[in-house]
Amino acid sequence: MKSSQLGRLRINTSSISSNVSEWTSEQVAYFVRSLGKSIRWTEYAKQCLEIDIDGATLQDATVDILVELGFNEMDAAKILESIASADGSEAMARRSLISRGKLRQGVGGPLQERRINNGENTVLPLTAKERSQMEKYGLYCALMDESEKQVVTAIENLNLQKEAAKQKSRSHFDKLINTIARER
């Protein structure tokens, strides 16, 4: 019987199923820890245990979701690509690319159209982070539009004041010319 130790946790590695969706959080932690040698991979494994990420949950995750949970973006992508390889899931590999922003196009309302390698369009829900960024972007756009309107109005007012000042100057100049002409 082959086993591994992650902290105090002992995992029987011979019992890890080839079907990722059947993995327990302990098996996910072992798998994640096996992907890298640095301390951060141990931390990721502990994170999987702390928040109880099992195989099915990991299969449903995206890079963005893992990043929100504290994973580095590149490491999150590596995890999902490794899970896709372990599971043999082409759809999982495509989701990994989509969530990393490699294949995104367009910006939309609550859903965003994203193009997948094979050319078909798939509509996926935005993550909370993406939704927040879209809302901020919308607020910034509204602020810029309002600012532009205020600038245009200010320029129009300045042009009106300029024309009024020109008229006043012409009128004053014409009076001076008439006064000079009368005095000669």
Side-chain angles (χ1 to χ4, degrees):
M1 177 163 92
K2 203 173 163 189
S3 69
S4 176
Q5 187 169 350
L6 178 68
R8 289 186 226 172
L9 176 68
R10 288 187 111 18
I11 299 168
N12 181 354
T13 56
S14 63
S15 69
I16 295 180
S17 167
S18 61
N19 185 352
V20 175
S21 64
E22 296 175 358
W23 289 1
T24 65
S25 59
E26 290 85 9
Q27 291 167 325
V28 168
Y30 174 78
F31 179 82
V32 167
R33 176 62 187 98
S34 72
L35 295 176
K37 294 182 181 180
S38 72
I39 189 74
R40 74 176 184 267
W41 291 97
T42 303
E43 294 302 317
Y44 296 152
K46 287 178 184 176
Q47 178 80 354
C48 290
L49 290 172
E50 287 173 10
I51 58 178
D52 198 29
I53 298 176
D54 60 12
T57 303
L58 191 57
Q59 282 182 313
D60 290 338
T62 64
V63 171
D64 294 332
I65 290 170
L66 293 177
V67 167
E68 286 179 22
L69 294 174
F71 291 77
N72 169 293
E73 185 174 0
M74 295 294 289
D75 295 341
K78 181 178 180 178
I79 291 167
L80 294 181
E81 288 167 4
S82 298
I83 287 290
S85 296
D87 196 34
S89 170
E90 178 66 27
M92 181 84 176
R94 279 193 247 140
R95 281 189 56 215
S96 171
L97 286 173
I98 291 168
S99 66
R100 285 171 37 203
K102 301 287 184 200
L103 305 170
R104 289 185 186 172
Q105 75 173 26
V107 178
L111 297 177
Q112 179 172 337
E113 182 180 357
R114 299 173 184 174
R115 189 168 297 281
I116 298 178
N117 278 341
N118 64 7
E120 61 183 70
N121 290 330
T122 303
V123 178
L124 300 173
L126 295 173
T127 65
K129 184 176 180 181
E130 289 172 324
R131 193 174 306 109
S132 171
Q133 289 173 338
M134 293 294 289
E135 289 169 3
K136 286 178 187 175
Y137 178 75
L139 292 174
Y140 292 139
C141 287
L143 179 64
M144 293 301 291
D145 287 344
E146 185 60 33
S147 297
E148 181 182 14
K149 288 176 187 175
Q150 290 176 358
V151 167
V152 167
T153 301
I155 290 171
E156 289 172 353
N157 288 339
L158 287 172
N159 283 334
L160 289 173
Q161 290 174 4
K162 178 179 156 185
E163 287 301 316
K166 279 183 180 179
Q167 280 296 86
K168 188 176 178 181
S169 294
R170 280 190 196 124
S171 175
H172 184 67
F173 185 71
D174 287 343
K175 286 180 186 177
L176 284 174
I177 290 178
N178 287 336
T179 305
I180 292 172
R182 273 185 272 159
E183 290 179 3
R184 288 193 181 174

